[in-house]
Amino acid sequence: MMILFTLCLCLWLEALVSTARGLDFRYHNTVEVEQYLKAINKNYSSLTHLHSIGKSVEGRDLWVLILGKYPTEHKIGIPEFKYVGNMHGNEVVGRVLLLHLIEFLTQGYLSDPLVTRILNSTRIHILPSMNPDGFEASTRDCMYSEGRFNKHGVDLNRNFPDAFEKDEEEKREAEVRAVMDWLSSEPFVLSANLHGGAVVASYPYDNSNGGGELQRGSSVSPDNDVFVHLAKTYSLNHTHMHKGNNCYESKDFKEGITNGFYWYPLSGGMQDYNYVWGQCLEITLELSCCKYPSESELPGLWAVNKPALLAYMQQVHLGVKGQVLDSAGAPVQNALVEVEGRRNLCPFRTDRNGEYYRLLLPGNYTVKVTAPGQEPVMKTLSVPYGPDSFSALMHNFVLQRSSSSSTSISSSSIPDVTHPTESCTSMVRNPAGSHSANLLGPGLMPSLALTLCRLLL
Ligand SMILES: *[C@@H]1O[C@H](CO)[C@@H](O)[C@H](O)[C@H]1NC(C)=O
Ligand SMILES: *[C@@H]1O[C@H](CO)[C@@H](O)[C@H](O)[C@H]1NC(C)=O
Ligand SMILES: *[C@@H]1O[C@H](CO)[C@@H](O)[C@H](O)[C@H]1NC(C)=O
Ligand SMILES: *[C@@H]1O[C@H](CO)[C@@H](O)[C@H](O)[C@H]1NC(C)=O
Ligand SMILES: [Zn+2]
């Protein structure tokens, strides 16, 4: 009798533990990841949305799981965030962490207060593997593996358009095209790209052509203060990244962060592309010295990264956001929203809803909004620390039709500034469903002229 009871108790406990255990800490292959994402999407159908943003060279889907209170579509005022893992197929820790993050977020919704607030205020896109072909080709090696590259032997983190060096468009790989299209289909605000082989948070720029951006060995962007804050948010909330010097014979990274170019220059990187053309601030997270660690290390890696992954997402609420409207209250697409003192290579523009998002540290900023045929508007805003309240400062701009036919050109036309290698208007947000013909409407010519003016100055 006693034995039977004990047996029952044990079986019950075993069942309890195994459901609580959930996703196991091991490397899931492409088919298993797909099954997992589909199961999550089925079990949490109102909190998640699953779609493929394209296919790899070998035809594997690039699955993205979207999480949030409104997972199926963008809502005005709710910022879009993304995490991208496994771009280098043999750097596998990010891929594992993102699956566990998905589990943690879905299970924590409406029970964990932080998770609930994040998911109620943010739309989160997770691409666990950008290079599934590379993953399948990888050997479990700490440093070297063919799986770094895609099926064509191309390093995807060297294959994006580069702001500082011209290249040929035909070179673009399928995985890179898919990410570029994805970036233009959603108004992403903040992102991180998860790698391995070091332990550090690296931020733009990764490249330079020796212009004004090059400062004491670093390639410094106009939003450097924000990038340093973002990188530190990750490294300080990570158990030991901020201590620097985590890997044998590696550079000593002060506070666990580095400017990308200062570490080593590279062209065609994804983070610079996100920032320059996508208006999406992206950093690169190197999460383990060994690129393909043994499975026994995975629970520990999740534990040290989990608070950092959450804190980083919350930073999507920095700064100021809102809509640009005309005097009739209609959204103005493609209006320039410029922050004084920040000369972005491509100025930030409003999207199809007339929305803008601008990540800024707390302080006072003068924001200038310009649109063809409208009087420019300038406003000084006092920006608080948004992440604490899970919302950036909200500020809408209302424009009045300009009386004179000449629209004044942006005042911030200071010469001696580097220009991107491709036109800024080539990456106007062109969401699925909206006709690209819209972009060729009357609004385009003045903005093109503006871009040309800048190029000539
Ligand atoms: C989905 O729900 C089923 C039934 O409750 C459960 O067995 C399964 O483990 C769940 N899967 C995931 C990934 O949540
Ligand atoms: C989040 O949204 C849900 C669904 O609308 C609501 O029930 C819940 O109270 C909200 N929680 C927080 C913390 O905002
Ligand atoms: C986490 O990041 C935030 C934002 O940068 C910072 O204020 C906070 O101190 C960090 N937490 C820890 C434990 O360092
Ligand atoms: C911003 O401006 C307000 C007045 O509008 C002032 O009280 C405050 O000190 C300023 N903050 C900073 C950081 O300059
Ligand atoms: Zn990498």
Side-chain angles (χ1 to χ4, degrees):
M1 187 63 194
M2 193 60 197
I3 292 172
L4 199 65
F5 175 76
T6 314
L7 190 70
C8 285
L9 187 72
C10 287
L11 283 173
W12 178 74
L13 276 174
E14 173 68 28
L16 197 73
V17 166
S18 72
T19 45
R21 208 193 290 129
L23 184 67
D24 45 359
F25 281 99
R26 64 178 179 84
Y27 294 111
H28 298 84
N29 64 29
T30 303
V31 174
E32 292 170 320
V33 168
E34 182 172 325
Q35 283 167 352
Y36 176 70
L37 295 176
K38 285 181 174 167
I40 283 278
N41 182 227
K42 189 158 171 265
N43 288 8
Y44 301 93
S45 55
S46 60
L47 189 66
T48 64
H49 176 66
L50 182 64
H51 70 133
S52 166
I53 58 164
K55 284 185 192 294
S56 67
V57 171
E58 288 190 303
R60 296 186 171 91
D61 274 306
L62 303 175
W63 290 110
V64 168
L65 188 81
I66 308 178
L67 302 102
K69 189 171 171 176
Y70 309 104
T72 51
E73 58 180 2
H74 175 74
K75 286 270 187 272
I76 288 169
I78 296 197
E80 307 285 337
F81 176 93
K82 66 184 163 72
Y83 272 135
V84 175
N86 199 213
M87 174 185 208
H88 289 142
N90 63 330
E91 296 169 15
V92 295
V93 171
R95 172 187 169 109
V96 171
L97 298 187
L98 292 179
L99 296 183
H100 283 274
L101 180 65
I102 287 168
E103 177 178 63
F104 184 74
L105 292 174
T106 48
Q107 290 184 353
Y109 188 60
L110 300 181
S111 57
D112 180 297
L114 175 62
V115 168
T116 308
R117 295 203 74 184
I118 289 174
L119 289 173
N120 275 9
S121 59
T122 318
R123 190 156 167 253
I124 295 156
H125 304 245
I126 297 181
L127 172 57
S129 178
M130 182 178 160
N131 185 3
D133 298 354
F135 176 83
E136 295 300 332
S138 290
T139 51
R140 297 196 175 194
D141 189 283
C142 267
M143 295 305 291
Y144 306 104
S145 170
E146 284 182 7
R148 174 184 179 88
F149 307 108
N150 80 341
K151 187 62 186 175
H152 290 148
V154 173
D155 187 329
L156 300 179
N157 207 22
R158 306 288 185 276
N159 193 241
F160 281 83
D162 190 282
F164 303 99
E165 283 172 44
K166 191 108 188 108
D167 71 343
E168 290 114 53
E169 207 196 318
E170 310 86 71
K171 280 191 357 188
R172 231 61 75 203
E173 290 298 314
E175 296 86 353
V176 167
R177 279 187 200 282
V179 168
M180 287 170 68
D181 290 347
W182 183 35
L183 201 53
S184 62
S185 71
E186 300 279 0
F188 285 111
V189 176
L190 179 64
S191 173
N193 169 16
L194 280 51
H195 288 250
V199 178
V200 68
S202 165
Y203 55 89
Y205 298 121
D206 268 332
N207 205 2
S208 164
N209 54 16
E213 75 283 354
L214 190 58
Q215 292 171 24
R216 279 184 273 124
S218 290
S219 184
V220 179
S221 78
D223 295 299
N224 194 59
D225 55 343
V226 182
F227 276 120
V228 167
H229 169 82
L230 291 169
K232 275 189 192 172
T233 295
Y234 201 91
S235 72
L236 294 175
N237 284 276
H238 183 285
T239 316
H240 56 264
M241 184 183 279
H242 61 274
K243 290 179 184 148
N245 204 7
N246 281 289
C247 307
Y248 40 91
E249 62 98 21
S250 71
K251 281 211 185 182
D252 189 5
F253 297 115
K254 191 161 175 287
E255 296 188 275
I257 69 169
T258 185
N259 173 265
F261 182 90
Y262 182 82
W263 187 14
Y264 61 93
L266 65 92
S267 78
M270 186 160 72
Q271 69 177 6
D272 286 7
Y273 180 79
N274 268 260
Y275 172 53
V276 172
W277 283 288
Q279 306 189 168
C280 174
L281 275 69
E282 182 174 278
I283 67 170
T284 301
L285 300 169
E286 303 281 352
L287 299 177
S288 56
C289 303
C290 176
K291 295 180 177 185
Y292 210 140
S294 76
E295 288 177 334
S296 64
E297 289 178 49
L298 297 176
L301 283 163
W302 166 240
V304 301
N305 281 286
K306 183 175 108 175
L309 288 165
L310 294 170
Y312 187 73
M313 288 194 278
Q314 218 177 321
Q315 297 302 316
V316 77
H317 298 297
L318 281 175
V320 56
K321 65 182 177 185
Q323 278 179 298
V324 176
L325 307 164
D326 66 16
S327 54
V332 179
Q333 187 181 1
N334 255 338
L336 301 189
V337 180
E338 296 174 287
V339 179
E340 201 170 79
R342 283 162 205 263
R343 299 216 1 96
N344 294 95
L345 288 179
C346 290
F348 280 53
R349 289 166 184 280
T350 52
D351 64 14
R352 63 189 186 272
N353 299 313
E355 271 192 290
Y356 72 94
Y357 291 84
R358 203 65 178 83
L359 301 187
L360 296 165
L361 300 185
N364 296 330
Y365 298 89
T366 301
V367 181
K368 182 173 186 185
V369 179
T370 27
Q374 309 281 338
E375 291 289 347
V377 171
M378 269 171 79
K379 172 88 183 162
T380 298
L381 299 170
S382 187
V383 175
Y385 185 66
D388 284 344
S389 57
F390 295 84
S391 177
L393 173 72
M394 281 276 282
H395 187 85
N396 292 345
F397 290 88
V398 179
L399 304 181
Q400 304 297 330
R401 194 159 282 284
S402 57
S403 39
S404 65
S405 55
S406 66
T407 308
S408 77
I409 296 287
S410 168
S411 63
S412 49
S413 306
I414 304 156
D416 180 40
V417 66
T418 315
H419 299 285
T421 56
E422 269 182 42
S423 158
C424 294
T425 47
S426 71
M427 167 64 219
V428 174
R429 297 185 188 284
N430 182 19
S434 90
H435 296 287
S436 49
N438 283 349
L439 308 173
L440 299 171
L444 187 68
M445 286 325 287
S447 60
L448 212 95
L450 184 65
T451 309
L452 281 174
C453 282
R454 291 197 154 180
L455 284 168
L456 295 172
L457 277 168

